[in-house]
Amino acid sequence: MTDQPVPAIATERTDLISLDEPLLDALATSEFATAATMAGFAIPALTTGGYLRSFGRRRDDLRAHPGWQPWLLRAVVLRDTRLMIGRIGFHGPPEDGVLELGYEILERHRRRGFAREAIGAMMAWALREHAIARFRLSIGEHNAPSLALAASLGFVRTGEQMDPEDGRELIFER
């Protein structure tokens, strides 16, 4: 954990709320009611996609590197209902001046611009607070909506990689 709370990043319709180690631990172990009480917003049972794996991975990152919290996982929370609809974060602090973003919006909330808002807000925060202007996305080769979103945001394909958990991913930078 950090000494000071990490401020939320606001988008037009959501708040991107930093997840600390105790909250990530509750989420990684599927204690969603406990996590919601700790967080102060509603958290659905997140058993699909890479949520549990992501929560555990970022919890372990925070245990090893407490100062990384501002860079890591944030809940995408609807401001009007206080419901978590997804997650977004960097994979860690910048490496060689580049930040890699990861994100996922729950299926029932997709195709409404939430990912676009969250990505834009995260990149604006990194530029404003840390003068970081280079970003990377790794997207599964069959994820047409994310591939289209990356292109619309000005990301350019720079390579590919094999992810041991997700398979072949295309790498984009901006």
Side-chain angles (χ1 to χ4, degrees):
M1 288 185 291
T2 61
D3 293 339
Q4 299 291 321
V6 176
I9 297 171
T11 77
E12 181 180 334
R13 300 173 289 171
T14 69
D15 292 311
L16 309 179
I17 300 173
S18 181
L19 304 175
D20 64 16
E21 184 188 333
L23 185 52
L24 285 167
D25 190 52
L27 290 166
T29 56
S30 300
E31 297 173 21
F32 299 113
T34 299
T37 299
M38 293 168 68
F41 51 82
I43 301 173
L46 303 167
T47 56
T48 60
Y51 279 93
L52 298 180
R53 185 175 67 237
S54 174
F55 295 141
R57 183 181 313 127
R58 297 306 169 221
R59 174 203 56 210
D60 295 346
D61 287 344
L62 273 180
R63 285 180 178 159
H65 310 280
W68 285 15
Q69 185 177 341
W71 301 104
L72 297 180
L73 208 53
R74 292 172 183 262
V76 179
V77 178
L78 289 173
R79 191 171 299 116
D80 61 348
T81 63
R82 303 301 296 159
L83 172 67
M84 180 179 172
I85 61 165
R87 64 187 164 114
I88 189 165
F90 299 112
H91 291 215
E95 290 186 22
D96 299 322
V98 179
L99 283 167
E100 183 168 357
L101 266 162
Y103 60 91
E104 184 175 4
I105 301 297
L106 291 170
E107 189 170 347
R108 67 184 169 271
H109 299 283
R110 291 181 185 159
R111 310 297 294 168
R112 298 185 204 167
F114 292 118
R116 176 182 301 280
E117 278 183 38
I119 292 167
M122 291 293 287
M123 293 190 315
W125 172 84
L127 180 61
R128 181 180 63 253
E129 300 293 326
H130 302 282
I132 303 295
R134 289 187 55 214
F135 302 94
R136 178 177 297 133
L137 298 173
S138 300
I139 302 171
E141 64 182 328
H142 301 294
N143 187 342
S146 280
L147 293 170
L149 177 59
S152 74
L153 291 170
F155 282 84
V156 176
R157 184 173 169 188
T158 59
E160 61 183 63
Q161 66 187 13
M162 278 303 287
D163 183 281
E165 296 168 349
D166 298 325
R168 184 171 175 250
E169 295 178 330
L170 307 178
I171 300 170
F172 297 84
E173 292 193 9
R174 181 180 125 172

